[in-house]
Amino acid sequence: MSILYLILTITIVILTALSGCTPDIPVPDRSPGISWDLAEHRSRTLSDIRYDLTLTIPERIDEPILGEETIQFSRSEDGGDLVVDFMPSGDQVTDVRIGGEQVAFSVQDEHIIVPEAALKTGKNAVSISFVAGNSSLNRNDEFLYTLFVPDRAHFAIPCFDQPNLKARVTLTLNTPASWKAVANGPLVGRTEMDSTATYTFGETKPISTYLIAFAAGIFETETAERSGRTMTMYHRETDAEKVARNREEVFDLHETAINWLETYTDIPYPFNKFDFVLIPSFQYGGMEHPGAIFYRDGGIFHDEVATQSQKLGRAGLIAHETAHMWFGDLVTMNWFDDVWTKEVFANFMSAKIVNPSFPEVNHDLRFLSHYPSAYSVDRTAGANPI
């Protein structure tokens, strides 16, 4: 019995050691959308991500936008298959390459899947040719703009569409020659050939995919320098008097917000440059893309008879979106269930920033306007008590 017991014990030890050398790696959930299971797996196994993206935008909105993208990343040993989020159909992914060689891939349930066998531990670069999805590109006859919040970047481009996998982004846009373009990164070059202009934008600081942004089309521009920083405003307003009437105040309000936040946080403006785009009928009052804030134009360009409430609203909106450069863009929530934190901080900072410019307003009383919406959520069955 003792010999049999010894043999069994040795066998168990060997099997245990072997099982420890080849762990059973669970396959993350690949159902449509981005599950927390998949997001958690990628945040643990992927790092140092870069997107190098080129999009060719035709003038006609019924023609497709063609894309070329190289995704660079470091991958841990237990990374498994690479799961890249992409909403459009499999027919819109035309090629996947590694090291210039085509690799097998599949497209299923809103994901491009590159098999583990084609990848290596450490640095990888996967290139994808695709037709961009239109639903989050907001194409019009004379312009287009992105709106990737909250998780709609993968509706247009292949990416890891989760807030805690930040990446550096390099963007090239081929557009009609008469169009202008703006993006998160600084413009480092523009060339023109025949009827096409090519805009090359420098690499961004690390940002979440929902903050990737660009606009292209027939825009006018206004450029100003404030506190040593050059800012450019892109707009489509045809009333020159309205533009001139609002121009200086709009730049001043941005300068005030940036300077206040730099002083308050003791953190310099965190990104490469500061531009903003005024868009007709934009879906929100504003969206805080670093380097390219988008605003609904009606909230920024006022008529001659603008009320104090409208002026205060504009100042608050600009302060809110500028505050997001720190609260949301520099420091970002881990997952979508904490989106409220960045919004609450931006609202709170906005209220503090505009106070000195409107001394005649009772700001404590005005701040009470936030209470009804907060309490209405607090009363619901699913909310945690405030």
Side-chain angles (χ1 to χ4, degrees):
M1 288 292 292
S2 59
I3 295 175
L4 286 173
Y5 179 79
L6 180 61
I7 292 171
L8 285 170
T9 301
I10 293 171
T11 303
I12 291 169
V13 169
I14 292 171
L15 290 173
T16 302
L18 288 173
S19 66
C21 293
T22 56
D24 183 19
I25 302 170
V27 177
D29 179 13
R30 299 174 183 177
S31 56
I34 298 95
S35 68
W36 171 243
D37 179 41
L38 173 60
E40 193 173 38
H41 174 79
R42 291 193 301 210
S43 66
R44 183 177 59 80
T45 59
L46 302 178
S47 61
D48 193 21
I49 299 166
R50 283 174 163 81
Y51 300 112
D52 188 347
L53 176 66
T54 297
L55 294 172
T56 299
I57 304 170
E59 191 163 16
R60 291 172 53 92
I61 63 174
D62 58 351
E63 294 180 1
I65 294 176
L66 302 182
E68 292 286 339
E69 180 181 35
T70 297
I71 306 175
Q72 300 179 57
F73 55 92
S74 289
R75 173 181 170 275
S76 68
E77 186 177 8
D78 59 342
D81 296 343
L82 182 70
V83 181
V84 182
D85 307 321
F86 190 54
M87 166 71 82
S89 69
D91 293 340
Q92 291 181 240
V93 182
T94 56
D95 193 29
V96 176
R97 303 173 304 283
I98 295 178
E101 299 293 327
Q102 290 184 331
V103 298
F105 68 95
S106 61
V107 179
Q108 56 189 35
D109 292 329
E110 303 175 16
H111 304 296
I112 303 168
I113 299 173
V114 180
E116 181 179 14
L119 305 165
K120 58 186 177 182
T121 300
K123 293 185 178 180
N124 290 262
V126 176
S127 298
I128 304 171
S129 301
F130 64 98
V131 178
N134 279 327
S135 61
S136 57
L137 291 181
N138 299 283
R139 299 178 69 180
N140 297 271
D141 288 330
E142 295 184 341
F143 68 100
L144 65 78
Y145 62 91
T146 57
L147 188 57
F148 289 168
V149 65
D151 62 342
R152 292 171 59 87
H154 76 287
F155 286 34
I157 62 173
C159 60
F160 307 119
D161 207 1
Q162 58 191 80
N164 60 0
L165 270 187
K166 292 187 176 185
R168 299 178 186 271
V169 182
T170 303
L171 176 67
T172 300
L173 295 178
N174 300 312
T175 74
S178 60
W179 286 21
K180 294 179 180 178
V182 58
N184 302 106
L187 179 65
V188 296
R190 181 188 184 278
T191 59
E192 191 170 322
M193 182 177 293
D194 298 329
S195 58
T196 300
T198 297
Y199 291 87
T200 304
F201 298 95
E203 187 177 71
T204 68
K205 300 291 181 67
I207 57 175
S208 302
T209 47
Y210 78 89
L211 295 171
I212 296 173
F214 59 86
I218 299 175
F219 286 97
E220 299 297 326
T221 57
E222 298 286 334
T223 299
E225 185 173 312
R226 293 291 189 276
S227 300
R229 177 179 287 105
T230 300
M231 307 181 218
T232 299
M233 171 173 63
Y234 294 75
H235 69 88
R236 288 179 50 81
E237 179 57 61
T238 57
D239 185 340
E241 290 185 4
K242 178 181 279 191
V243 174
R245 185 169 61 247
N246 288 276
R247 181 187 188 281
E248 297 305 313
E249 181 69 13
V250 169
F251 283 117
D252 288 346
L253 287 168
H254 283 95
E255 177 193 27
T256 297
I258 294 171
N259 290 346
W260 192 97
L261 285 155
E262 287 185 327
T263 300
Y264 184 87
T265 63
D266 199 25
I267 298 172
Y269 174 67
F271 298 99
N272 309 68
K273 53 100 172 180
F274 194 104
D275 294 334
F276 49 97
V277 188
L278 312 189
I279 297 173
S281 303
F282 187 59
Q283 289 92 323
Y284 304 109
M287 180 57 206
E288 66 268 20
H289 313 115
I293 298 173
F294 290 177
Y295 294 109
R296 186 185 304 136
D297 60 356
I300 302 298
F301 280 159
H302 286 170
D303 294 326
E304 289 183 89
V305 292
T307 65
Q308 184 189 60
S309 177
Q310 287 174 315
K311 293 177 181 177
L312 183 58
R314 176 174 67 181
L317 172 62
I318 288 172
H320 176 104
E321 303 305 339
T322 305
H324 272 310
M325 301 298 117
W326 285 259
F327 302 97
D329 295 2
L330 175 63
V331 179
T332 309
M333 69 275 176
N334 187 50
W335 188 239
F336 298 111
D337 56 357
D338 277 332
V339 168
W340 67 274
T341 54
K342 73 180 180 71
E343 295 302 327
V344 167
F345 273 110
N347 271 343
F348 182 66
M349 291 300 154
S350 171
K352 294 170 74 68
I353 292 166
V354 301
N355 284 10
S357 300
F358 295 86
E360 68 280 9
V361 173
N362 185 332
H363 292 283
D364 289 337
L365 183 61
R366 185 170 181 268
F367 194 77
L368 289 174
S369 65
H370 295 297
Y371 280 56
S373 58
Y375 282 134
S376 67
V377 174
D378 190 46
R379 291 189 186 102
T380 60
N384 297 317
I386 290 176

